[in-house]
Amino acid sequence: VRATPYREFALIRAGHAAAAASLSGSLIGFVLPLASAVVHSVNPWDMALWAAIALAVQIVVYLAVRLLLPDVVVRQIPEGKVSAGVLLGAVSLAAGILNAACMTPPA
């Protein structure tokens, strides 16, 4: 929430579906690797380290999308363009799925 140039919660309260889609994807993209860390960690410090990595991955993904498609993040989401919010949310979710898979030990 602190990485974005707009206030997501204020936009969501105002009914902006784009901000809701973006934040929802980011949240799920963060929680999936966090859940994997909870299941596979050997102690709380290990879990906290993987949680920090999951957060860093989400921030890097957001910054990459902002760099590659600045109009989507800076202008379209605050304007309520749902397609932009869905795109950012989907990229965040995809990164979270890959991140969770990377944290899972081999069988």
Side-chain angles (χ1 to χ4, degrees):
V1 173
R2 300 263 189 240
T4 60
Y6 46 86
R7 296 176 172 248
E8 289 164 315
F9 290 119
L11 290 172
I12 292 167
R13 280 188 207 102
H16 284 71
S22 172
L23 183 60
S24 297
S26 296
L27 180 62
I28 296 168
F30 172 68
V31 169
L32 285 172
L34 183 60
S36 179
V38 168
V39 170
H40 298 103
S41 293
V42 294
N43 59 50
W45 295 110
D46 185 42
M47 185 191 69
L49 174 64
W50 284 112
I53 291 169
L55 180 61
V57 167
Q58 287 298 312
I59 292 171
V60 167
V61 165
Y62 168 77
L63 293 174
V65 171
R66 186 173 177 173
L67 180 68
L68 295 171
L69 303 166
D71 190 51
V72 167
V73 174
V74 176
R75 189 176 61 80
Q76 291 184 11
I77 291 176
E79 288 178 357
K81 304 246 171 121
V82 177
S83 60
V86 170
L87 174 67
L88 183 57
V91 171
S92 297
L93 180 57
I97 291 169
L98 286 174
N99 195 10
C102 290
M103 292 180 183
T104 305

